[in-house]
C-alpha cells in the first residue's frame, strides 16, 4: 500500500518525466548515431563507435553550404518577422482602427493553413510576378509565416502589461522615447525574444514551403531529404546533435539569468 500511495502522490511528476523522455528519445538516438561508423550508405544500424564524423563535420559535399544558407535565411527571417511582428502587435493592442478585428483574425491564418496550400499559393504569386525563385523568395515566404507567431507571442505579452507603469514614467517627465526604451521595451522583451526564437526554429526547420519556392537553392532540410534517398551521412546527425546542444545551452543560460535576477530582487 505504501508503494501505491507514493505512486499516487508522484503520479504527475512521473507522467511528466515519461512524456519528456518520449519527446527527447529521437534526440538521444540522433546523438548516439552521430558516433556511429556505418558499413554502407545508410546510418540506420549501430556498427562501430567512431569520432570521424565529429572530426570532419563538413566531410560531405555541399552539406555545410546548405547549412550556411539555412542559417542565413533563418537569421534574416527572424529579424524581419520580429521587427514587423512587434510593431503589428503593439498596433493591434494599443490602437483602435477600422478592420482591427479582421486583421486579428487574419493573423492566425498562416498558423492554421496547411503548409502545402500556403506553399502552392506563394509559388503561384511569385510566378505571376515573374520573380526568380531562390534565396529571396524563400526569405519572403519565411518572414510571412513567421510573422504570425511573433505577433501572437508579443501581443500576449503586451496585453498583460500594466499601463500604470508607463503613466508613472510620463509623470516623472520621461519622453515617449525614454518611456518606450526604459519601461515598455524591457517589459515586452520576453515576448519578443520568444517570438524571435520560435521564428528562427521554424524558419531553419521548414521544408515544404521552402521546397516549393527554392528554385535551385538548397537549404539544409532539403539537403537532408535528398541525402535520405541515396544514403544518410553521419555528419547529418552531428549537425543535429550540435544544434540540439546549442538550444539546451541557451535554455540553461536563460534560466540562470532569470534565477540570478530573482535572487537580486529578493
Amino acid at each position: 500500500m505504501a508503494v501505491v500511495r507514493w505512486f499516487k502522490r508522484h503520479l504527475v511528476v512521473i507522467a511528466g518525466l515519461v512524456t519528456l523522455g518520449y519527446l527527447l528519445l529521437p534526440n538521444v538516438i540522433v546523438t548516439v548515431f552521430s558516433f556511429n561508423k556505418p558499413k554502407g550508405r545508410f546510418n540506420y544500424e549501430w556498427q562501430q563507435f567512431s569520432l570521424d564524423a565529429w572530426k570532419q563535420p563538413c566531410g560531405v559535399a555541399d552539406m555545410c553550404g546548405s547549412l550556411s544558407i539555412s542559417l542565413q535565411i533563418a537569421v534574416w527571417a527572424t529579424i524581419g518577422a520580429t521587427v514587423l511582428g512587434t510593431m503589428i502587435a503593439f498596433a493591434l493592442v494599443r490602437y483602435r482602427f477600422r478592420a482591427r478585428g479582421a486583421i486579428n483574425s487574419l493573423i492566425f491564418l498562416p498558423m492554421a493553413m496547411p503548409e502545402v496550400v500556403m506553399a502552392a499559393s506563394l509559388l503561384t504569386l511569385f510566378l505571376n510576378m515573374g520573380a526568380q525563385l531562390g534565396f529571396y523568395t524563400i526569405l519572403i515566404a519565411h518572414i510571412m509565416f513567421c510573422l504570425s507567431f511573433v505577433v501572437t507571442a508579443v501581443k500576449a505579452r503586451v496585453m498583460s502589461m500594466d499601463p500604470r507603469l508607463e503613466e508613472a514614467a510620463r509623470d516623472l517627465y520621461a519622453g515617449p522615447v525614454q518611456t518606450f526604451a526604459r519601461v515598455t521595451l524591457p517589459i515586452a522583451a520576453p515576448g519578443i525574444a520568444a517570438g524571435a526564437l520560435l521564428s528562427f526554429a521554424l524558419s531553419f526547420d521548414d521544408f515544404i514551403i521552402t521546397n516549393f519556392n527554392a528554385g535551385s537553392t538548397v537549404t539544409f532540410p532539403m539537403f537532408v531529404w535528398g541525402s535520405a534517398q541515396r544514403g544518410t551521412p553521419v555528419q547529418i546527425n552531428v549537425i543535429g546533435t550540435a544544434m540540439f546542444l546549442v538550444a539546451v545551452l541557451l535554455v540553461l543560460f536563460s534560466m540562470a539569468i532569470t534565477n540570478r535576477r530573482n535572487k537580486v530582487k529578493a
Side-chain angles (χ1 to χ4, degrees):
M1 292 298 294
V3 175
V4 175
R5 287 195 299 270
W6 180 90
F7 185 81
K8 288 181 178 180
R9 285 198 306 269
H10 298 86
L11 181 60
V12 175
V13 176
I14 294 172
L17 291 175
V18 171
T19 303
L20 183 62
Y22 175 76
L23 292 174
L24 293 178
L25 183 60
N27 296 316
V28 173
I29 293 175
V30 168
T31 301
V32 170
F33 275 83
S34 69
F35 297 99
N36 187 29
K37 187 174 183 179
K39 296 179 181 178
R41 297 179 299 170
F42 296 96
N43 186 27
Y44 296 152
E45 295 182 4
W46 180 264
Q47 299 292 338
Q48 180 182 351
F49 180 85
S50 174
L51 293 173
D52 293 345
W54 283 92
K55 293 177 181 178
Q56 296 180 333
C58 295
V60 180
D62 299 326
M63 189 184 75
C64 283
S66 64
L67 177 63
S68 175
I69 292 174
S70 285
L71 290 173
Q72 292 178 50
I73 292 174
V75 169
W76 286 112
T78 299
I79 294 173
T82 302
V83 172
L84 293 175
T86 300
M87 292 191 292
I88 293 172
F90 272 94
L92 291 173
V93 174
R94 296 295 179 83
Y95 299 96
R96 299 293 182 268
F97 51 89
R98 290 184 179 180
R100 178 171 171 269
I103 293 175
N104 267 317
S105 301
L106 290 173
I107 286 295
F108 289 96
L109 276 182
M111 300 170 64
M113 186 182 298
E115 281 197 63
V116 67
V117 176
M118 190 186 307
S121 301
L122 285 168
L123 176 61
T124 304
L125 174 65
F126 291 138
L127 292 178
N128 287 334
M129 293 176 60
Q132 183 177 358
L133 299 180
F135 183 92
Y136 292 103
T137 54
I138 298 173
L139 179 59
I140 293 171
H142 284 206
I143 291 175
M144 191 209 70
F145 73 75
C146 289
L147 196 61
S148 298
F149 294 93
V150 176
V151 172
T152 303
V154 178
K155 184 182 171 185
R157 182 67 179 178
V158 175
M159 290 178 67
S160 65
M161 290 173 56
D162 189 350
R164 292 176 295 182
L165 297 174
E166 294 173 304
E167 293 174 2
R170 288 191 292 268
D171 289 341
L172 295 172
Y173 302 102
V177 177
Q178 286 179 310
T179 302
F180 180 79
R182 298 189 178 185
V183 178
T184 308
L185 189 59
I187 296 175
I192 297 173
L197 291 174
L198 187 58
S199 296
F200 183 87
L202 291 171
S203 175
F204 182 85
D205 186 58
D206 184 76
F207 173 78
I208 298 176
I209 295 176
T210 304
N211 191 44
F212 271 72
N213 300 281
S216 59
T217 303
V218 179
T219 61
F220 185 68
M222 294 174 63
F223 177 85
V224 173
W225 180 83
S227 298
Q229 314 303 311
R230 306 182 301 272
T232 310
V234 183
Q235 283 82 354
I236 290 177
N237 297 61
V238 172
I239 298 299
T241 302
M243 297 204 68
F244 173 70
L245 293 176
V246 169
V248 171
L249 289 175
L250 286 175
V251 172
L252 293 177
F253 180 71
S254 176
M255 291 175 62
I257 292 177
T258 302
N259 291 334
R260 185 175 180 180
R261 287 179 178 175
N262 292 336
K263 290 181 180 178
V264 170
K265 289 180 181 179

